Amino acid sequence: MFLDHYGMSLSNYILNMRIEKVKELLTETDMSVAEIAQQAGFQTKSHFFTAFKKATGMTPAQYRCRQMDEASG
């Protein structure tokens, strides 16, 4: 039923919500990447990095740097 309504599984939906939270924290705070991973509910750093890179095509540090460059430029 969830899949029919949202076009994705519940687990993928939750993962997408976590990634969006991470993006927000990376751009709006100076928290460390490890703190952000924990805050977003990722159990291990390796799972966090893998999921984030798969979703965005870059590491969390690269994402933060790019967002800062775009905001200042």
Side-chain angles (χ1 to χ4, degrees), residues 23-34:
K23 289 179 181 180
E24 178 184 316
L25 292 172
L26 285 169
T27 57
E28 297 179 7
T29 73
D30 60 354
M31 292 170 63
S32 72
V33 172

Side-chain angles (χ1 to χ4, degrees), residues 15 18 41-53:
L15 180 59
R18 284 182 175 167
F42 287 92
Q43 297 296 318
T44 65
K45 282 195 260 183
S46 63
H47 179 243
F48 168 64
F49 277 90
T50 301
F52 191 87
K53 188 156 190 176

